[in-house]
Amino acid sequence: MNMIQWMDLIDKSEVKPLCAFLMKLSQGTERYLLRNDILLALEEFQDGRTMDAECLKPSSMGTFLNKVQEIIFFEDSAVIIHRYRMGKDRIYKISFSDGSVNKLEQISTEEFLEFRDAFALQSNGYLGNKLKINFMPFYDYSPLIRDPKNLGKGIEFLNRHMSSSIFQNPDKWHNILFEFLKIHCLGGKQLLVNGSKIRTHELLIERLDRAVEWLGDIECALPFQEIVRELKNMGFEDGWGDTRNRVLETMQLLLDLYEAPDSHTLENFISRIPMVSKVAVISPHGFFGQENVLGRPDTGGQVVYILDQVKALETYLAENLRLSGLDIEPQIMVVTRLIPNSEDTTCHVRLEKIHGTKNCRILRVPFRDEKGEVIDYWISRFWVWPYLERFTYDVKEALDEELGRQPDLLIGNYSDGNLVASLLSEETGVIQCNIAHALEKTKYLFSDLYWKDMEEEYHFSLQFTADLLSMNMADFIITSTFQEIAGTSYIRGQYESYHYYSMPGLCQVEGGINLFHPKFNVISPGVDESIYFPYFEKKKRDKEKTEAIRELLLFDQGGNIFGTLEDPKKTPIFTMARLDKIKNIAGLLECFAKYPEIHNRCNFIVIAGKVDPDQTEDPEEKEEICRMHRLIEENDLQGKIRWLGMQFPKEDTGEIYRLIADLKGVFVQPALFEAFGLTVLEAMSSGLPVFATQFGGPSEIIRHGISGLLINPTRHDLVRDQLIGFLQKNGEVPLTWDIISTNAIKRVQERFTWRHYSDKLLKLTKLYGFWRYSVSSKEKKKMKLYSQTLYHLLYKKRAQEML
């Protein structure tokens, strides 16, 4: 322990009030406080003066406490986590005696985890030996980012590092680059360099000089096939380009890289190499299909994300391969689970072509039990863990059969898909990309500390272990927002929450993920512009479909629709999501019900889950449905709510947003936490003003007050003020709605497109592929062995116990 003084942390004049505040907290009933609890207590302590949680009054005490993430109180002491910088914590222990604070010490992460376990286990003595997990020593194979502001820009950092290494150690890196080009094949076809004709990097440079000079002198009218023939005589294979100019540009880039390396040249050259024609996208859980699946348990935004991603990626890959001069059609397989008892979906079909694509398909592989028998029913994402190893083996066989070989890129999705991608990558050597979409650890408070209480339902011990394994084994990780990685200046990110934590009685994670490794990259997804286009583009809207959906949305009755609107012309407050606690649809309804100034002025239109609790087997959804009905009945909301418990085809959801926009309504996304927020993008792209949670990704999509509004869904009074304020302002200044609508459309078109996403994803694959090759297997072997040990001794053992 390291003894320090309060004056090292705050101004001397504020030490006394800070200690008084901590003493007051220590005397309360709450013994484990999170940041929000601390700030609310501080607001009360400072005579009830209202303060913005993100901007406390300018004082060193306020600044310090605004960055405190947790405080745990014991009988005569407390431990405090102070996040002094993004991704960086200091942990302090304070001791109490005689009604005052008398000692302040800085303690280690290991010591903090012991305190945390003691609190959870209510122990003051020996806690026993436990498994300690620390991946940090195994990151010595890679350079690390220093400045937290550069997190999420991993490839930019890596490009600078590699180009600098080429400059500083040219002999080594020139040979690495040459060997990388010499062995480069795609689908068994040798590309770029013929190793039997060009045997050294010195000879490669000589031949490049000769080729560039020749290409510069010849007339463009020369048939391209004659150019190819002459280049092959020099030792150059296909893949340099589809025209004389393209070949010349690519070869000049490689010459520049050898002679005067810089990060821009490295990126431009490597991104031109044709490395990818076949891709496998892994997403096992839920009902993955193209019709009648959205809104089912475990089935939501990630399905839309993946299908849109695949369509855009196929188009971009085809263009990239054509520009390389190759006559190859890309193939993409979305690998998911086959469910024989698939209800009214196509999830029982092994192979399904993806609409709007040429060579993209959904490949479904069943889960099997310990006897090898196919499991024919849906299984919750919290219960899939015992089946994933056998599933991985079967997926490998299925990909071999359908693609004729293993893919060039594996993209994992969510915790289960990322683990499968990691296992496949280890088995096949294929580069692996991870996309979390959402990490449960940050969605369920204290899910690590009180894991035992939740284990029977959620099995977080397995999920968090799977996350650790796939995060550390991945070649690169894509997030939709910076906040997913490292949060904000005040709040931890999703990945940051894996830095250190404990699961008392099971393990202590002292170093779970290295945020400063350059594997993290932010690439925001887009929307399908053929479906989500502005409401005022009347010529693109199908009048018959518009009228049919309008009738269904506002007037029709049926078994899956609850409520008749007394006045359909009232301003609609619209929301659409799965019915679970995190999406907080019932919480929004509670806010609507609580304030007459809202429900007397507006209608509440919701598309979510089922209307009848007996129609779902998901206990969490059932609970939320019952809560919705209770709120409607207790607050007499009949005539003011329209609840559609049905699934709409994706093509119809765009028209639903536009119909709400026709009525000058608003879309509210009230999630307690949202990793990104595809529905936010969809609504904005349609021209519908959006009110979205400030917790998570929407805060990076929306510019508050300009292209939408951010809300705190836990404070109904604040949500009311924002909604009513917006509606009143729009009544006084009629263009208010139109300005937000116009800015929302512009924001999406400028920043969130699938073409931009596909370009960055392909560049990342190629550049990390080169980095993966340049880092020897020996240097990464320690990380691999450590991960394998953890998989077999912790994950696999516990997974088998579930059966």
Side-chain angles (χ1 to χ4, degrees), residues 287 337-342 367 369 374-380 387 617:
F287 289 81
R337 185 194 161 201
L338 184 140
I339 308 173
N341 184 11
S342 62
F367 284 171
D369 62 21
V374 171
I375 297 174
D376 62 359
Y377 51 86
W378 167 80
I379 295 175
S380 163
Y387 310 105
E617 297 178 5

Side-chain angles (χ1 to χ4, degrees), residues 274-333:
M275 296 187 195
V276 181
S277 67
K278 299 189 179 187
V279 180
V281 181
I282 317 295
S283 183
H285 75 256
F287 289 81
F288 198 105
Q290 300 178 85
E291 291 93 19
N292 302 324
V293 297
L294 295 181
R296 292 177 183 273
D298 297 343
T299 310
Q302 86 275 11
V303 174
V304 177
Y305 179 113
I306 291 170
L307 290 174
D308 284 349
Q309 173 200 51
V310 165
K311 292 175 187 176
L313 186 57
E314 182 190 39
T315 299
Y316 196 83
L317 264 176
E319 180 182 325
N320 194 265
L321 290 165
R322 178 184 60 76
L323 287 172
S324 298
L326 301 179
D327 185 18
I328 297 176
E329 294 284 354
Q331 291 180 276
I332 303 178
M333 287 285 179

Side-chain angles (χ1 to χ4, degrees), residues 440-717:
E440 304 287 356
K441 188 171 178 296
T442 51
K443 289 167 63 176
Y444 292 82
L445 286 180
F446 298 119
S447 52
D448 53 357
L449 188 66
Y450 298 117
W451 68 276
K452 285 186 178 179
D453 299 336
M454 306 181 189
E455 188 73 354
E456 185 175 348
E457 182 175 357
Y458 294 112
H459 301 285
F460 285 140
S461 68
L462 284 158
Q463 181 154 17
F464 298 168
T465 304
D467 288 335
L468 286 178
L469 290 167
S470 61
M471 288 173 190
N472 286 286
M473 293 170 70
D475 291 292
F476 63 102
I477 295 172
I478 287 177
T479 69
S480 297
T481 64
F482 175 86
Q483 289 187 47
E484 287 179 59
I485 306 168
T488 69
S489 297
Y490 303 95
I491 302 170
R492 285 176 176 154
Q494 291 186 65
Y495 282 95
E496 187 180 355
S497 72
Y498 284 80
H499 185 199
Y500 61 89
Y501 64 93
S502 61
M503 302 185 81
L506 179 66
C507 65
Q508 289 182 349
V509 180
E510 297 174 0
I513 182 65
N514 195 331
L515 296 180
F516 294 85
H517 187 274
K519 67 172 60 181
F520 288 97
N521 293 271
V522 178
I523 314 180
S524 299
V527 293
D528 187 332
E529 295 173 10
S530 67
I531 294 174
Y532 304 104
F533 55 85
Y535 70 98
F536 50 76
E537 294 186 6
K538 302 292 185 182
K539 291 183 179 179
K540 294 172 70 173
R541 298 173 68 175
D542 184 323
K543 290 182 180 180
E544 290 186 8
K545 175 180 277 193
T546 297
E547 187 56 34
I549 294 175
R550 182 176 179 274
E551 288 295 315
L552 186 61
L553 193 65
L554 298 176
F555 301 107
D556 286 356
Q557 295 299 310
N560 296 316
I561 301 174
F562 178 93
T564 302
L565 299 178
E566 293 174 354
D567 183 0
K569 294 182 181 179
K570 282 184 179 180
T571 301
I573 294 173
F574 174 59
T575 190
M576 178 167 58
R578 295 192 312 275
L579 259 185
D580 60 31
K581 292 177 182 177
I582 296 300
K583 293 299 183 182
N584 195 36
I585 297 297
L588 178 60
L589 177 60
E590 183 177 348
C591 176
F592 178 82
K594 188 183 294 185
Y595 301 111
E597 56 266 47
I598 299 180
H599 65 240
N600 288 339
R601 182 173 189 160
C602 303
N603 288 322
F604 188 83
I605 300 178
V606 53
I607 299 175
K610 306 282 194 303
V611 171
D612 184 351
D614 293 334
Q615 290 181 343
T616 180
E617 297 178 5
D618 185 329
E620 190 170 308
E621 184 181 35
K622 189 184 292 286
E623 183 181 340
E624 292 297 287
I625 293 170
C626 292
R627 183 185 172 196
M628 293 272 286
H629 282 292
R630 188 166 59 249
L631 285 166
I632 293 167
E633 184 177 348
E634 291 175 354
N635 294 279
D636 193 23
L637 295 180
Q638 288 82 358
K640 301 176 181 179
I641 182 171
R642 180 87 170 158
W643 176 9
L644 289 79
M646 57 181 63
Q647 301 153 12
F648 283 87
K650 182 182 167 184
E651 291 73 17
D652 290 349
T653 59
E655 192 57 32
I656 290 171
Y657 290 123
R658 287 188 288 273
L659 282 165
I660 300 295
D662 289 339
L663 295 168
K664 296 297 182 182
V666 297
F667 177 75
V668 183
Q669 203 272 35
L672 300 176
F673 180 85
E674 183 63 57
F676 181 63
L678 274 177
T679 56
V680 172
L681 276 190
E682 293 167 357
M684 289 173 67
S685 186
S686 305
L688 187 58
V690 173
F691 291 70
T693 180
Q694 68 186 33
F695 302 121
S699 65
E700 292 184 33
I701 299 173
I702 291 172
R703 296 177 65 196
H704 181 64
I706 298 174
S707 55
L709 292 100
L710 297 169
I711 60 173
N712 181 344
T714 66
R715 290 285 301 273
H716 290 168
D717 56 331

